[in-house]
Amino acid sequence: MSQTHPTAPVASQRIAELIRDRILSGQLPPGTRIVQDELAEELDSSRLPVREALRILQSTGLVTLRANHGAWVSSMTLRDCTLSYQMRERLEPLLLAESMPLLTADHFDRLRALQAEIEATDDVEEFLVLDRRLHWLTYQAQDTGQLTHTVARLWDTTQHYRRAFTHLTARERKWITNAEHHLLIQALEDTDSASAQNVLTTHIRRTRLELTHHPAVFA
């Protein structure tokens, strides 16, 4: 009887992370077909770990597997993205509230350093990386399992549209984003949970509402 090679799960996870990075970086935009044989050849891998990696990414919403048609980078309609942002508006303040009591002075120092880097850059890709780090630093003090997993999925599956939107609106929105970040960090330092959650909700809602004015992002 054949046995699964003990390194197969590790290889699958490694390949899944590589594909995920390519999707989140924009190298593989929504609607791109992922050809298993080509990917296996590129990575000098058998097809099995590639297939398992795609299944892992399907479970996170980043990849869509179509019977007899292969794998594709998942795409969203404006309605899909709107619903995802509405979920974020409700779930992220809850995640923030769970993490907030465990934030330390070191967290606040790192948040302010990240915000300084955000204000110093005009590069959209760098901003997206720093913005993600800033928000997830406010959440990471408390790993709430399913809640953290759900929020991470919402961030990942909307990444492409956040990137396209930011390219279109970065200059006009920069001062608003910076102001809201400062308000959020200050509320966290003041241990003002209600204000921190309100700022975060407004921050997410603003992007959702402005996305509706840019339907071309979803073309």
Side-chain angles (χ1 to χ4, degrees), residues 33-102:
R33 186 180 182 188
I34 302 173
V35 182
Q36 293 185 36
D37 288 345
E38 292 179 1
L39 191 58
E41 182 178 358
E42 176 195 344
L43 301 177
D44 193 21
S45 168
S46 67
R47 293 182 63 188
L48 178 59
V50 172
R51 188 181 307 120
E52 290 303 316
L54 293 173
R55 288 175 181 163
I56 291 170
L57 293 171
Q58 181 186 37
S59 72
T60 67
L62 286 175
V63 166
T64 300
L65 299 180
R66 300 174 183 171
N68 302 318
H69 287 82
W72 305 77
V73 179
S74 298
S75 58
M76 281 186 163
T77 64
L78 173 57
R79 178 60 176 162
D80 293 333
C81 197
T82 296
L83 287 172
S84 292
Y85 268 85
Q86 287 175 326
M87 291 173 67
R88 284 186 57 194
E89 286 172 39
R90 290 158 176 78
L91 295 178
E92 286 188 50
L94 178 59
L95 182 57
L96 182 68
E98 291 293 320
S99 176
M100 198 173 157
L102 299 175

Side-chain angles (χ1 to χ4, degrees), residues 5-219:
H5 194 285
T7 61
V10 175
S12 297
Q13 190 62 50
R14 176 179 58 81
I15 294 170
E17 285 297 320
L18 182 146
I19 300 171
R20 175 181 178 271
D21 288 345
R22 291 182 180 182
I23 293 172
L24 296 185
S25 69
Q27 187 177 343
L28 293 175
T32 300
R33 186 180 182 188
I34 302 173
V35 182
Q36 293 185 36
D37 288 345
E38 292 179 1
L39 191 58
E41 182 178 358
E42 176 195 344
L43 301 177
D44 193 21
S45 168
S46 67
R47 293 182 63 188
L48 178 59
V50 172
R51 188 181 307 120
E52 290 303 316
L54 293 173
R55 288 175 181 163
I56 291 170
L57 293 171
Q58 181 186 37
S59 72
T60 67
L62 286 175
V63 166
T64 300
L65 299 180
R66 300 174 183 171
N68 302 318
H69 287 82
W72 305 77
V73 179
S74 298
S75 58
M76 281 186 163
T77 64
L78 173 57
R79 178 60 176 162
D80 293 333
C81 197
T82 296
L83 287 172
S84 292
Y85 268 85
Q86 287 175 326
M87 291 173 67
R88 284 186 57 194
E89 286 172 39
R90 290 158 176 78
L91 295 178
E92 286 188 50
L94 178 59
L95 182 57
L96 182 68
E98 291 293 320
S99 176
M100 198 173 157
L102 299 175
L103 295 175
T104 65
D106 177 63
H107 286 104
F108 300 134
D109 288 343
R110 289 158 62 193
L111 285 169
R112 294 206 177 279
L114 280 169
Q115 180 54 31
E117 289 186 70
I118 288 173
E119 292 180 22
T121 186
D122 289 319
D123 182 84
V124 168
E125 294 304 319
E126 185 179 9
F127 164 78
L128 289 170
V129 170
L130 295 170
D131 181 69
R132 189 181 187 111
R133 286 178 186 167
L134 184 145
H135 284 285
W136 279 94
L137 181 57
T138 69
Y139 304 147
Q140 72 175 35
Q142 177 65 46
D143 185 354
T144 56
Q146 187 61 30
L147 179 57
T148 303
H149 175 79
T150 301
V151 171
R153 177 189 174 108
L154 292 169
W155 269 77
D156 285 356
T157 53
T158 56
Q159 171 80 357
H160 169 79
Y161 306 98
R162 187 162 52 253
R163 169 182 288 105
F165 169 74
T166 304
H167 273 289
L168 288 171
T169 63
R171 288 186 179 180
E172 61 193 65
R173 292 187 82 254
K174 185 171 183 178
W175 73 271
I176 300 175
T177 299
N178 290 336
E180 289 173 343
H181 282 175
H182 280 292
L183 288 171
L184 176 62
I185 295 168
Q186 189 61 57
L188 292 173
E189 284 192 300
D190 293 341
T191 63
D192 185 348
S193 181
S195 292
Q197 290 181 73
N198 286 336
V199 170
L200 180 59
T201 300
T202 300
H203 189 59
I204 298 168
R205 182 181 297 133
R206 187 186 306 282
T207 300
R208 171 174 64 82
L209 294 175
E210 292 186 4
L211 269 168
T212 64
H213 301 302
H214 298 277
V217 166
F218 301 89

